[in-house]
């Protein structure tokens, strides 16, 4: 027999199965010797008051052992000889699309510009050591996509629980801890993700699909408004309908689409900085305890949101017990992001602190930072992709379609200049920033390429810095101790989402003008994280199956 209970208990009881059994015996009248096992079904932490509680939904097995699997298995059949579908990009969008294609009896051919997830790691080390960014292998490009070396947070605002659960179960089937099915805020950790990603790739290959690394899609082959396949930098072409899951950093893909008249539009993003506190300080604040989190609680999280002068200012992608990483995907850029290991055990906690920007804001004087040298490079890149572009088309692309992308590029380049033309990142203590003071020195940080003191309040567009400052002051008022010079802000966080939407039909998920092309995931503007990209990948695979059936 099994019995399920909803409990609100102390962390030390929740962390120990024997203590949990004793608690159930005492509070629920069960005979201790009859409880053969317990299984936690849901877990969340309630840190609103001085005494911290853990909310648990728990199943007690009475005089029987658990029989059922801890996760739902998906069956993957052999797809050799089945119709092939090109999946460009092996991030979560592309990988989940490929696995779903296998489930649906279609043969995925995955094309990935970067290296496999292990080889990629060596290039990441080079960024910190040598300050060189390989434009094909970095924190954004390579197997696993932008999510591979990340915190591996798996929560999403999606209300479609069924789709989200499917993604989490597929992760478990490929080696992720089943705790992700239980925790209110599940995460895998950057140390565990590569194994899971390799297992997903192995499933695709064992079932008869293909995965091609270091193969970059350079052009779509389009005939009579229908995509026939892709051309790659290896000289090989691949034929079939295309799921385009190239992520938000594939700027060459956006340029190709813009230059070749494949409909896209500019979309809003959020930009700002990474803010890093000592993890102990965040634990003390969030758990209301000067001793921090103690033995039984995880590194504390936070989430802030406010409005400042008509724009949202909020914390983004918080990494408790994590690291700030150099996330540039090309030369002359400094971009930061965050990741954490499974145990979230580092001495720091960071999050993006960002301000919303809409395409129409870019007309604002405070946001105008167009750099002539960079603008010329951007024009050259477009002309190389389509030498027949007229100057009116070029100007439409610059002022409309790619305006937000260009703004991102300019801010990242500005940051690179401020950082001394290396991956060293410009930084300022948090309180100094709100007081418009250059920091005399900087605290120790997890950002391994190093920091340089810089007046962010001065050189960042005031549209952003003013709102960030107002936001910080507001967060400091609502959370005592948060606004402090023990925290350092590091520039810049610009890759929060895609600066472009590749417009697709909402029912068929095909591109609005090019049949057989399925824009997918974050890069297309339809996802904002690992899980939502995975969900979108699955939806695109289903849409391709429908396309074959019609
Ligand atoms: C450091 C970091 C930490 C993050 N942490 C989290 C987190 O904890 N939780 C979360 O939900 N999200 C996190 N994110 C965001 C998350 O990673 C993305 O939302 C997600 O990866 C988007 O998935 P995607 O498949 O749409 O695109 P991507 O993951 O960006 O994958 C796109 C893939 O396409 C490949 N590609 C690009 N162009 C081409 C081409 N021309 N030819 C062939 N291949 C190409 C790229 O190499 C890449 O592998 C993080 C991102 C970063 C950078």
């Amino acid at each position: 027999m099994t019995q399920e209970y909803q409990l609100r208990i102390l962390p030390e009881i929740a962390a120990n199965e024997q203590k949990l059994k004793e608690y159930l015996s005492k509070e629920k009248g069960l005979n201790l010797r009859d409880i053969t096992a317990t299984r936690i079904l849901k877990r969340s932490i309630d840190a609103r008051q001085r005494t911290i509680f853990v909310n648990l939904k728990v199943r007690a097995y009475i005089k029987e052992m658990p029989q059922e699997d801890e996760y739902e298995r998906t069956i993957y059949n052999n797809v050799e000889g089945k119709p092939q579908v090109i999946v460009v990009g092996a991030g979560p969008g592309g990988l989940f699309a490929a696995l779903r294609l296998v489930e649906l009896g279609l043969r995925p051919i995955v094309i990935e510009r970067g290296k496999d997830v292990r080889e990629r790691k060596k290039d990441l080390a080079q960024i910190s050591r040598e300050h060189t960014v390989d434009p094909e292998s970095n924190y954004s490009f390579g197997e696993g996509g932008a999510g591979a070396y990340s915190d591996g947070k798996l929560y999403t605002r999606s209300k479609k629980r069924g789709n989200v659960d499917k993604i989490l179960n597929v992760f478990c089937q490929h080696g992720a801890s089943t705790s992700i099915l239980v925790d209110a805020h599940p995460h895998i950790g950057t140390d565990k993700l590569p194994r899971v990603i390799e297992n997903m790739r192995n499933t695709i290959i064992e079932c008869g699909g293909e995965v091609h690394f270091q193969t970059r899609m350079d052009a779509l082959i389009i005939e009579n408004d229908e995509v026939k396949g892709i051309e790659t930098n290896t000289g090989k072409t691949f034929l079939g309908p295309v799921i385009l899951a190239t992520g938000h950093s594939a700027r060459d893909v956006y340029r190709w689409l813009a230059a070749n008249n494949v409909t896209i539009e500019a979309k809003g993003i959020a930009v700002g900085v990474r803010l890093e506190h000592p993890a102990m300080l965040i634990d003390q604040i969030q758990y209301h305890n000067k001793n921090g989190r103690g033995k039984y609680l995880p590194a504390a999280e936070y989430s802030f949101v406010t409005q400042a002068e008509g724009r949202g200012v909020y914390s983004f992608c918080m990494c408790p017990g994590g690291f700030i990483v150099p996330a540039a995907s090309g030369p002359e850029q400094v971009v930061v992001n965050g990741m954490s290991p499974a145990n979230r055990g580092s001495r720091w906690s960071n999050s993006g602190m960002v301000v919303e920007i809409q395409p129409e804001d870019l007309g604002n004087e405070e946001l105008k930072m167009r750099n002539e040298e960079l603008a010329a490079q951007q024009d050259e890149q477009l002309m190389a992709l389509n030498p027949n572009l007229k100057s009116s088309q070029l100007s439409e692309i610059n002022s409309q379609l790619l305006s937000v992308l260009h703004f991102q590029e300019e801010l990242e380049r500005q940051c690179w200049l401020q950082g001394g033309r290396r991956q060293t990142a410009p930084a300022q203590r948090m309180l100094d920033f709100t007081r418009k003071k250059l920091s005399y020195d900087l605290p120790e940080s997890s950002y391994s390429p190093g920091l340089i003191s810089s007046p962010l309040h001065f050189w960042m567009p005031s549209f952003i810095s003013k709102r960030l400052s107002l936001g910080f002051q507001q967060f400091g008022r609502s959370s005592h101790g948060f606004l402090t010079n023990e925290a350092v802000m590091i520039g810049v966080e610009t890759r929060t989402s895609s600066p472009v939407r590749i417009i697709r039909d909402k029912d068929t998920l095909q591109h609005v003008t090019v049949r057989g092309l399925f824009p997918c995931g974050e890069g297309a503007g339809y996802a904002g994280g690992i899980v939502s990209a995975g969900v979108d990948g699955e939806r695109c695979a289903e849409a391709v199956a429908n396309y074959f059936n019609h």
Side-chain angles (χ1 to χ4, degrees), residues 89 92-93 112-113 141-142 145-147 150-153 217 245-247 338 522 529-530:
E112 169 54 53
R113 73 194 297 163
F141 295 160
S150 75
D151 180 53
K153 267 181 291 301
M217 179 198 84
T246 44
E522 185 161 41
I530 296 170

Side-chain angles (χ1 to χ4, degrees), residues 87-95 111-115 120 136 138-155 187 193 212 215-218 230 232 244-253 274 316-319 325 327 336-340 344 495-496 520-524 527-534:
V87 179
V88 190
L95 288 173
I111 306 298
E112 169 54 53
R113 73 194 297 163
K115 299 179 184 169
R120 184 179 170 192
E136 305 299 334
N138 46 59
Y139 276 95
S140 294
F141 295 160
E143 188 182 24
Y149 292 98
S150 75
D151 180 53
K153 267 181 291 301
L154 299 177
Y155 41 96
H187 99 119
L193 269 160
H212 299 261
T215 306
R216 188 186 63 225
M217 179 198 84
D218 278 348
I230 61 164
T232 67
L244 189 66
T246 44
H248 63 24
S249 292
R251 293 172 173 171
D252 46 359
V253 174
R274 274 270 144 184
F316 172 81
C317 181
M318 206 237 145
C319 299
V325 298
V336 286
N337 214 308
M339 69 176 192
S340 24
R344 287 181 164 168
R495 310 274 179 102
T496 49
C520 173
E522 185 161 41
I530 296 170
V531 171
S532 57

Side-chain angles (χ1 to χ4, degrees), residues 178-222:
T178 49
S179 67
I180 64 173
L181 301 175
V182 165
D183 287 326
H185 285 177
H187 99 119
I188 298 186
T190 184
D191 46 335
K192 309 279 181 203
L193 269 160
R195 181 89 272 212
V196 175
I197 291 163
E198 278 174 336
N199 291 340
M200 291 167 82
R201 179 222 307 161
N202 290 339
T203 300
I204 295 167
I205 294 172
E206 280 159 18
C207 290
E210 292 176 16
V211 180
H212 299 261
F213 293 117
Q214 294 178 269
T215 306
R216 188 186 63 225
M217 179 198 84
D218 278 348
L220 292 165
I221 305 169
I222 301 173

Side-chain angles (χ1 to χ4, degrees), residues 304-347:
F304 290 110
V305 58
T306 189
Q307 284 281 318
E309 300 190 343
R311 285 283 174 264
V313 180
Y314 54 92
S315 60
F316 172 81
C317 181
M318 206 237 145
C319 299
F323 300 91
I324 298 185
V325 298
S329 54
E332 304 193 2
Q333 309 169 349
V334 166
V335 186
V336 286
N337 214 308
M339 69 176 192
S340 24
N343 71 2
R344 287 181 164 168
S346 98
R347 287 186 286 134

Side-chain angles (χ1 to χ4, degrees), residues 416-441:
W416 174 76
L417 292 171
Q418 294 291 335
R421 298 169 185 258
R422 290 160 64 82
Q423 286 302 306
T424 316
Q428 189 170 15
R429 289 184 186 262
M430 189 184 185
L431 202 55
D432 287 346
F433 171 76
T434 59
R435 292 177 176 162
K436 299 190 174 171
K437 254 182 67 186
L438 177 70
S439 294
Y440 174 69
D441 61 3

